[in-house]
Amino acid sequence: MTIELVDGKAGTAHISSEDKAIIHQAKFGAGDMVFEWGDAMSCTMQSANKAVIGTGCASIQGLDWHITNPETVTIQSGSSGKNRNDIICAHYHRETSTGVEKVELVAFKGVPSDAAAVDPTIPSAKILNGAADAYMPLWRIPLTGITAGTPVRLFNKRYALWDSVTLTKSNVNWDVNYRTAFVGGMLIVAFHAIRLNTDWNAAREWESSKLFTLPAGLEAAFEVHCAAVSNSSVGLHGIEVQAAGNEIVLRSSAKMTIGKGGWVEGCITVPL
């Protein structure tokens, strides 16, 4: 039978990790991700040889796993005068004889170099295609000589469905009130901005004035524009709000002025 009610009672054990992986990929995408829970799998260097990965919840190719207490990963010592990149990964493994699955943390050692360090190659395989081993890169550990540098995050961070997201107000000339909702792969931002201190005089179309900076990991997948409204002299074509990269900005659609005390309000949906 090719139809299965995965979450329904069948009278026998029938829900497999493959079932959940397929459904999770359909809902959230096939990419690996770490969710905003616990320490979101933070990484701190306890010493040059010990990296501590914090608590967190993640998905590797649709299979959920989590860390409930910080885990320590051993980093091999660096070499004097050499540069090296090590990569800490989550390693999925399935025993072929029993089908038992597990996830553990491992470190791939890079090749020492006199020049710039290069990341080691991480094996690529698809669990749903039958692979017994798969890897999810989490952190790059750069080593200069015997000194370990600041860990570099390699995973995508995802916020919970319907969670609000805190934005950084990036322009002192705007007093901004806003509301956000994070829904799947979309961030919805509704705002009301009052101009402070000085007038904003746009001499031509496509001049911009920043409103917000998006949190790391929530950059816009592509540039989007939405119409906004204002009580000021914005001309026939009005004013737009734009999301591009990690910034949300106001964009002039023509020559326009928003005087001190004038306001702009609108809503934009940011694809992530």
Side-chain angles (χ1 to χ4, degrees), residues 83-104:
N83 300 312
R84 196 180 88 212
N85 284 346
D86 286 6
I87 304 294
I88 296 175
C89 294
H91 173 208
Y92 162 89
H93 176 70
R94 175 175 45 82
E95 291 288 346
T96 54
S97 59
T98 64
V100 173
E101 300 164 294
K102 67 177 182 179
V103 168
E104 61 184 356

Side-chain angles (χ1 to χ4, degrees), residues 90-259:
H91 173 208
Y92 162 89
H93 176 70
R94 175 175 45 82
E95 291 288 346
T96 54
S97 59
T98 64
V100 173
E101 300 164 294
K102 67 177 182 179
V103 168
E104 61 184 356
L105 300 180
V106 299
F108 280 86
K109 180 182 176 182
V111 178
S113 172
D114 293 324
V118 177
D119 290 349
T121 299
I122 308 301
S124 176
K126 299 296 185 181
I127 297 170
L128 288 178
N129 288 345
D133 293 278
Y135 297 89
M136 173 180 175
L138 297 174
W139 293 92
R140 175 188 297 118
I141 309 298
L143 293 104
T144 303
I146 61 173
T147 302
T150 302
V152 178
R153 179 168 63 88
L154 301 177
F155 56 80
N156 294 318
K157 186 186 291 187
R158 294 290 297 270
Y159 290 76
L161 295 176
W162 292 106
D163 263 8
S164 63
V165 174
T166 300
L167 306 177
T168 301
K169 301 175 184 179
S170 52
N171 190 324
V172 297
N173 291 316
W174 293 103
D175 178 21
V176 188
N177 290 311
Y178 68 92
R179 295 289 185 273
T180 63
F182 185 81
V183 187
M186 309 293 283
L187 175 64
I188 302 170
V189 182
F191 68 92
H192 181 88
I194 300 175
R195 185 69 182 181
L196 303 175
N197 303 318
T198 63
D199 295 349
W200 179 30
N201 294 300
R204 62 189 68 83
E205 63 181 353
W206 297 120
E207 290 195 10
S208 65
S209 183
K210 293 181 181 180
L211 289 181
F212 304 110
T213 300
L214 298 168
L218 290 185
E219 291 82 3
F222 50 86
E223 185 174 310
V224 292
H225 299 255
C226 293
V229 297
S230 175
N231 68 338
S232 297
S233 175
V234 295
L236 177 63
H237 300 291
I239 187 171
E240 298 181 359
V241 56
Q242 168 194 294
N246 66 344
E247 298 285 351
I248 295 178
V249 305
L250 293 176
R251 278 281 202 183
S252 60
S253 296
K255 181 178 180 180
M256 44 148 280
T257 296
I258 296 180

Side-chain angles (χ1 to χ4, degrees), residues 35-118:
F35 300 97
E36 187 64 23
W37 180 86
D39 298 323
M41 296 190 183
S42 61
C43 182
T44 55
M45 296 305 297
Q46 191 177 71
S47 68
N49 300 102
K50 300 291 183 183
V52 178
I53 306 300
T55 59
C57 181
S59 177
I60 178 170
Q61 297 186 30
L63 294 177
D64 293 339
W65 61 281
H66 63 190
I67 299 175
T68 55
N69 284 294
E71 292 276 334
T72 299
V73 180
T74 299
I75 303 297
Q76 293 188 32
S77 297
S79 305
S80 180
K82 301 287 186 179
N83 300 312
R84 196 180 88 212
N85 284 346
D86 286 6
I87 304 294
I88 296 175
C89 294
H91 173 208
Y92 162 89
H93 176 70
R94 175 175 45 82
E95 291 288 346
T96 54
S97 59
T98 64
V100 173
E101 300 164 294
K102 67 177 182 179
V103 168
E104 61 184 356
L105 300 180
V106 299
F108 280 86
K109 180 182 176 182
V111 178
S113 172
D114 293 324
V118 177

